Amino acid sequence: GAGVSQSPSNKVTEKGKDVELRCDPISGHTALYWYRQSLGQGLEFLIYFQGNSAPDKSGLPSDRFSAERTGGSVSTLTIQRTQQEDSAVYLCASSLFSLRENDLDTQYFGPGTRLTVL
Amino acid sequence: ILNVEQSPQSLHVQEGDSTNFTCSFPSSNFYALHWYRWETAKSPEALFVMTLNGDEKKKGRISATLNTKEGYSYLYIKGSQPEDSATYLCASNRDDKIIFGKGTRLHILP
């Protein structure tokens, strides 16, 4: 079946512009996660959705970052007034169950969006 | 500890040899420990999810153990093959967050 898809695969933008990254999770997956990997760093958790709601938004790096999920499916991660330090690969993952439920919450990752802020 | 720590950071292993590496995580408010395999230019691929103290999981030549009381997990690879070359990530569910370690980069030498 179809896996997690993300678009665009690459995005180059100028400092100060807004960008929107999209994630299409696996159909029927309750939970959706956003991560980023900056150059030379590990995976950084940003936010996770259980259905359409995000229990904890404290992982978002700044108030320029926001995310939403509608209809329990597609999610968008928006970065306003991009800065050079926002350059990273943004990964989305989905899992059948949410973080607080049993051990069947294996995450399936999308291919990522490589964001470059000039 | 508050973070997820993995060691070693990098490892070179001769093809055919067995190896193991460690993930340490906060033992408080623990829900689950995940291991992922991340090959260059690909997405992370889930290997194991473990929740109970003493859990052991196996997938082919790769296995993992979990100690939730002391906050560590080991990943073992038996008879390393070139295709095992990748970064191995562990992650811990804690409250409403998932925290990843920085990974162990495994290089298999022919």
Side-chain angles (χ1 to χ4, degrees):
Chain A
V4 178
S5 61
Q6 292 185 246
S7 61
S9 55
N10 275 288
K11 177 72 178 179
V12 180
T13 190
E14 293 179 348
K15 179 181 171 181
K17 301 277 189 183
D18 297 351
V19 295
E20 193 172 276
L21 312 180
R22 178 186 166 110
C23 172
D24 279 275
I26 293 173
S27 177
H29 277 195
T30 301
L32 184 147
Y33 312 79
W34 282 101
Y35 302 93
R36 73 174 177 182
Q37 187 196 27
S38 304
L39 189 64
Q41 302 298 312
L43 269 182
E44 178 188 1
F45 171 82
L46 299 179
I47 192 169
Y48 108 95
F49 288 90
Q50 181 177 330
N52 289 339
S53 64
D56 186 342
K57 298 182 180 179
S58 64
L60 295 173
S62 77
D63 58 9
R64 297 184 294 104
F65 286 70
S66 62
E68 63 175 19
R69 188 181 186 196
T70 54
S73 182
V74 172
S75 176
T76 53
L77 178 70
T78 302
I79 309 173
Q80 295 178 306
R81 305 181 302 282
T82 52
Q83 304 293 312
Q84 287 181 330
E85 62 262 27
D86 299 334
S87 296
V89 175
Y90 288 82
L91 283 166
C92 172
S94 70
S95 66
L96 190 58
F97 299 104
S98 65
L99 279 179
R100 287 183 177 270
E101 295 177 345
N102 54 46
D103 63 354
L104 297 180
D105 59 349
T106 296
Q107 295 182 38
Y108 298 87
F109 282 80
T113 293
R114 181 174 293 280
L115 175 66
T116 304
V117 181
L118 301 176
Chain B
I1 56 171
L2 298 178
N3 293 322
V4 175
E5 307 282 349
Q6 290 188 246
S7 64
Q9 192 173 46
S10 180
L11 189 58
H12 291 77
V13 174
Q14 203 68 42
E15 183 179 347
D17 288 352
S18 297
T19 187
N20 64 84
F21 27 92
T22 308
C23 172
S24 301
F25 55 89
S27 52
S28 61
N29 300 327
F30 170 85
Y31 289 108
L33 191 284
H34 305 251
W35 280 100
Y36 293 88
R37 183 170 172 274
W38 197 357
E39 289 182 72
T40 305
K42 294 186 178 180
S43 302
E45 174 196 353
L47 290 174
F48 305 112
V49 179
M50 296 179 288
T51 57
L52 299 175
N53 186 45
D55 263 354
E56 290 188 30
K57 295 269 177 100
K58 188 175 180 184
K59 190 175 184 178
R61 293 179 294 99
I62 305 176
S63 59
T65 60
L66 180 67
N67 183 321
T68 61
K69 292 182 180 178
E70 296 180 43
Y72 64 84
S73 175
Y74 292 128
L75 188 80
Y76 301 89
I77 301 178
K78 187 176 178 183
S80 304
Q81 299 297 310
E83 60 265 29
D84 297 330
S85 294
T87 296
Y88 291 82
L89 295 170
C90 75
S92 171
N93 289 14
R94 191 160 178 254
D95 300 325
D96 288 311
K97 292 186 173 68
I98 182 162
I99 305 167
F100 276 83
K102 293 190 176 179
T104 290
R105 186 154 182 81
L106 178 64
H107 306 264
I108 305 301
L109 306 172

